[in-house]
Structures are given as structure tokens and as C-alpha cells.
């Protein structure tokens, strides 16, 4: 299905489903999960005709998803503006470990919900306080009730 040895360097070619980068209308789109042959030495990628078609379809679908989402650089900027590590930002947003790492690398795209949450934080930095309260397991105090629950 794939050559056993790389045509470029003679290295061994193995089956891989690692992310491939495809250009769609000028955008580099990271497309994971498409089976292909990959040279273990130089990284040259080999696709079957069927693989080429599947890769193109997946890349176009992904490009549509990504259009309009914050870019990996923008996500990093939001995080750094809060002076948070990737792990702290994950906790604040309520996403799993290594999720922000993957968003910032561009290997995984954020959901539309996470994207809007990050835009909200970017526009209204005070949202962070509400999220920190939620993340620490406490209910945020509703506006107008502050101080009303003072204990004797
Ligand atoms: Zn090679």
C-alpha cells in the first residue's frame, strides 16, 4: 500500500495516523487521524489515492471549523495576559490536562464554547474572578447581595 522504503532517503516507512498539515486556501490546516505512510527518518509522507481524498475532505471540514476560532497564538496571548501557566488556564476554563497545550500547538482545536469563553475573558478580564470562584468550587456572589450574608 505504501512503499517499504522512503523514495527520498531510503528510510523505513511506517503506517501513521499522526496529524498532517494541509494547505487549504492559504491556511495551513492541521488534520489528524488520516492513515498514511511516514518515513521514520525524514518524515516524508505517503498517501494512497483514497487517502488523498480523505485527507482533502477532512482538511476542508477542519478549515471550516477553524475559520472564526481564535488562533493558537491568540489563545496564548489571552493566557499570558492573565499571567497564567497552561495548567492554570486549563483549570480556570474547566478543560482537561494538556488541552491548552494542544490548542496552543494547533494539534487540537477548541470547541466553539471554549472559544467564546476565551473571547469573553479577553474582552472582560473581570470574568476571570467569576471563573476562579467557580473553579474553586464556590458559588459566585450574585450582584447586589455582596455583604448581605455577613455572619455575626
Ligand atoms: Zn525518508
Amino acid at each position: 500500500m505504501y512503499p517499504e522504503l522512503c523514495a527520498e532517503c531510503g528510510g523505513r516507512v511506517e503506517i501513521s495516523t499522526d496529524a498532517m498539515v494541509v494547505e487549504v486556501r492559504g491556511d495551513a490546516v492541521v488534520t489528524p487521524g488520516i492513515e498514511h505512510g511516514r518515513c521514520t527518518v525524514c518524515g516524508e509522507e505517503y498517501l494512497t489515492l483514497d487517502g488523498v481524498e480523505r485527507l482533502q475532505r477532512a482538511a476542508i471540514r477542519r478549515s471550516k471549523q477553524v475559520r472564526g476560532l481564535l488562533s493558537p497564538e491568540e489563545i496564548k496571548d489571552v493566557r499570558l495576559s492573565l499571567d497564567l501557566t497552561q495548567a492554570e488556564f486549563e483549570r480556570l476554563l474547566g478543560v482537561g490536562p494538556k488541552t491548552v497545550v494542544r490548542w496552543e500547538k494547533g494539534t487540537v482545536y477548541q470547541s466553539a464554547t471554549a472559544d467564546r469563553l476565551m473571547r469573553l475573558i479577553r474582552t472582560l478580564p473581570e470574568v476571570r474572578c467569576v471563573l476562579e470562584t467557580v473553579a474553586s468550587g464556590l458559588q459566585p456572589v450574585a450582584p447586589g447581595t455582596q455583604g448581605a450574608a455577613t455572619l455575626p
Side-chain angles (χ1 to χ4, degrees):
M1 184 152 67
Y2 308 109
E4 224 168 285
L5 297 175
C6 176
E8 298 295 319
C9 76
R12 199 160 43 83
V13 175
E14 287 186 345
I15 292 178
S16 166
T17 52
D18 288 354
M20 302 176 85
V21 178
V22 187
E23 199 174 301
V24 180
R25 281 177 287 167
D27 290 337
V29 180
V30 180
T31 311
I34 303 296
E35 193 194 283
H36 61 281
R38 182 180 293 244
C39 173
T40 53
V41 179
C42 73
E44 181 72 10
E45 293 159 342
Y46 295 91
L47 279 159
T48 60
L49 273 181
D50 177 58
V52 171
E53 268 179 35
R54 279 189 296 130
L55 180 64
Q56 282 172 345
R57 276 200 303 272
I60 288 166
R61 197 166 54 232
R62 192 150 283 262
S63 159
K64 282 180 185 161
Q65 281 173 359
V66 173
R67 215 165 278 271
L69 293 180
L70 293 172
S71 69
E73 294 74 29
E74 288 174 310
I75 293 172
K76 191 171 181 180
D77 286 345
V78 174
R79 177 174 66 77
L80 293 178
S81 74
L82 301 175
D83 199 24
L84 293 177
T85 65
Q86 290 173 326
E88 287 165 344
F89 198 36
E90 283 155 3
R91 191 172 130 74
L92 188 74
L93 295 172
V95 296
K98 302 289 171 212
T99 302
V100 169
V101 177
R102 294 184 189 115
W103 291 346
E104 291 186 3
K105 272 196 208 156
T107 51
V108 170
Y109 297 108
Q110 66 275 22
S111 67
T113 310
D115 194 77
R116 288 175 193 183
L117 190 54
M118 288 188 280
R119 283 172 194 276
L120 194 59
I121 294 169
R122 187 167 72 171
T123 312
L124 300 168
E126 59 268 34
V127 166
R128 176 196 182 154
C129 298
V130 179
L131 292 177
E132 277 172 351
T133 310
V134 173
S136 69
L138 298 167
Q139 291 301 312
V141 178
T145 62
Q146 272 161 344
T150 315
L151 294 169

